[in-house]
Every structure is written in structure tokens, then in C-alpha cells.
Amino acid sequence: MIPVLVPLETGGEGGFVPPGLEDFEFNGGFIPGVDWFNKPLVQALISVIVILAFWLIASRRLKVVPGKGQFVAEFLYSFIRNGVARDTIGHNWKPYFPYLLGLFCFIWVNNLFGLFPVFMFPTFSNIGYAWGLALLSWIIYNAAGVKKHGLMYFKNSVLPAGVPLWLAPVIIPVEALSNFIIRPITLALRLFGNLLGGHLVVLVFVVGGTYLLTQADGILLNAAGGFTLLFTFAIFALELLVVSLQAYIFTVLTASYVASATADEH
């Protein structure tokens, strides 16, 4: 086992035990008797501190010719503002831009924890955090719809304009299920599933490679273990793409739901 890379121990007196879903369970917290104060929560708190510190530092002493830190901040700011908020929501993007920027940063940093030594655990592979963000986005895009259209928002959400009344018994339950239940569920499950699956692949390669390299008998098996550990770096590169893409997708979908809720034809 390589504790620096994989702090989630797997195995025991019975021999090699492959990693599984039990490696994502936390049965105890950092404080005795307080199970909920565990590693995912600590990572979420650390991410908030890191993000706030980054933007506070980046917004100080702005220069016409930006340095490296200011360049990164401006690139990220422009990317979410122009590529997500403006392009997706349209002219009424400004009230929702701070949430979208914070949402992207929060998801991205917490996803990156799964690639860094010591942490080596993506926060959103714990489904409760994915549910929490999906619920927050659900509240925001529905509140945006009510703010724009009043209580007619709910009527128009389940029975779009132009639909014949005789189709209402079919359209209303389908639209209600799609707009108010399926959207937040798919938001959460997409984020959770990709982070859980990706990190499980990393665990399989690292734990399996380490076992073959250090415990297996035979030069060929040892060589296979060494190759597997080297190939893990390619898996890490793929995971870097996945964690960034998932942060972007969650943010874009939230913006698209806001755009749908606030559209004039809604």
C-alpha cells in the first residue's frame, strides 16, 4: 500500500482485497462522537477558504498588464461570464453570474481533491454533497422563474402555451416530473456517478499495481505492477479532464435551467 497516494487502506490478513464502495464510507469523524464532521466536510470547508482567498488576493492591486495570478482569475471570470452566463441565460445574466462562478469554482476545487496527495478523495463522490448542490440550483432556477413570471411560472411549467387542453392529463404529469424532479436528480447523479466511478478506477490501478509490485511472486507480475503504477499517471490526466468537465457541465446545466425558467415565452 502507498499511504501517501491512497489513504484509504484496503486489504488485511486475508490477503488482497480489491477496492470497492466501502472505501468511500466514513464511519467516524475527526471529533469523537461527531460522525458528520468527517473528511468530505473538511474538504468542503477548505475549498471555501481557498476560493475566497484566491479571489480576494486576485482582486487586489489589479494591473493593466496582469501577472500570472490576475491572468488566471481574469480568464476564469471571463470564461464563466461570457461562455456560460451570457451565452446561456442571455441579457438577464448579471444577477445569476456570482452564483454560477462560485458554483463552478466550488465543484472544480472539490473535484481536484481526488487527484492531490493527502486528500485523494473527491468530495462529490459522497452523494450527499451532490444532492445539496442540486437542491440549491433547483431552488435558484425556480425562484428565478417565480420572480420573472409570478405564480404563473408553475402553471406554464407543467402546461406550456399552445398545448391543447385534451392533452393536459398527459402533458402535466410529464412536464411536472421533468421540470421539478428529474432535473435535480440528474444533476446530482451525473456529478456523483462520474466522480465515484473515476476515483474507483484510480483506486483499482494504484492498489492493484502496488500489490503486484510488492506482494506478487514472479518477475512478470512485478513488472506488470510497475507498469500499472506508471499507467496510473495517464488515468490521473484523464481524471483531471473529467473533474473539470463535470464542474463545467453542472454549471452550464444550472444556467440553462435558469434561462428556461426566465424565458419570455415560458
Side-chain angles (χ1 to χ4, degrees):
M1 181 57 60
I2 302 178
V4 174
L5 288 178
V6 187
L8 305 176
E9 288 289 337
T10 301
E13 296 179 358
F16 176 74
V17 178
L21 296 180
E22 64 277 359
D23 289 315
F24 295 82
E25 298 176 358
F26 292 89
N27 298 319
F30 289 98
I31 301 176
V34 186
D35 290 344
W36 55 266
F37 195 82
N38 52 25
K39 187 174 184 177
L41 177 60
V42 171
Q43 289 184 177
L45 295 176
I46 292 175
S47 71
V48 172
I49 296 172
V50 169
I51 293 168
L52 288 175
F54 170 77
W55 285 109
L56 288 173
I57 294 173
S59 62
R60 296 175 58 190
R61 301 177 182 177
L62 299 178
K63 301 177 181 178
V64 177
V65 180
K68 294 180 180 179
Q70 184 179 336
F71 172 80
V72 172
E74 289 181 353
F75 173 80
L76 183 58
Y77 182 93
S78 299
F79 174 68
I80 301 299
R81 182 190 64 183
N82 299 330
V84 177
R86 279 183 173 177
D87 289 353
T88 305
I89 298 177
H91 66 278
N92 192 35
W93 61 274
K94 288 185 178 179
Y96 310 101
F97 170 65
Y99 174 68
L100 295 175
L101 180 60
L103 181 67
F104 177 83
C105 292
F106 183 72
I107 296 175
W108 189 50
V109 171
N110 278 281
N111 288 352
L112 288 178
F113 281 139
L115 302 176
F116 282 96
V118 179
F119 295 104
M120 284 305 296
F121 184 84
T123 307
F124 292 104
S125 61
N126 186 311
I127 195 170
Y129 293 87
W131 287 133
L133 274 192
L135 177 61
L136 183 59
S137 292
W138 182 84
I139 292 173
I140 286 176
Y141 76 72
N142 281 299
V146 172
K147 180 180 179 181
K148 178 71 178 290
H149 303 286
L151 294 181
M152 285 296 294
Y153 163 75
F154 296 103
K155 182 264 182 184
N156 294 334
S157 293
V158 297
L159 189 64
V163 175
L165 288 179
W166 63 273
L167 282 177
V170 177
I171 297 297
I172 289 177
V174 170
E175 290 295 317
L177 187 67
S178 173
N179 293 328
F180 300 116
I181 298 178
I182 299 299
R183 282 182 176 182
I185 289 178
T186 54
L187 267 180
L189 290 182
R190 183 184 296 107
L191 180 61
F192 162 73
N194 280 279
L195 271 296
L196 176 69
H199 196 59
L200 190 57
V201 170
V202 171
L203 281 178
V204 168
F205 272 83
V206 175
V207 174
T210 303
Y211 178 80
L212 290 175
L213 183 62
T214 61
Q215 302 295 327
D217 296 326
I219 296 177
L220 290 179
L221 290 177
N222 295 152
F227 174 78
T228 300
L229 288 178
L230 290 176
F231 188 73
T232 302
F233 289 100
I235 301 297
F236 273 107
L238 179 62
E239 273 298 286
L240 179 60
L241 173 63
V242 170
V243 300
S244 302
L245 188 61
Q246 288 306 312
Y248 174 73
I249 290 174
F250 196 104
T251 306
V252 168
L253 286 176
T254 298
S256 69
Y257 296 156
V258 171
S260 175
T262 58
D264 291 333
E265 65 274 12
H266 188 88

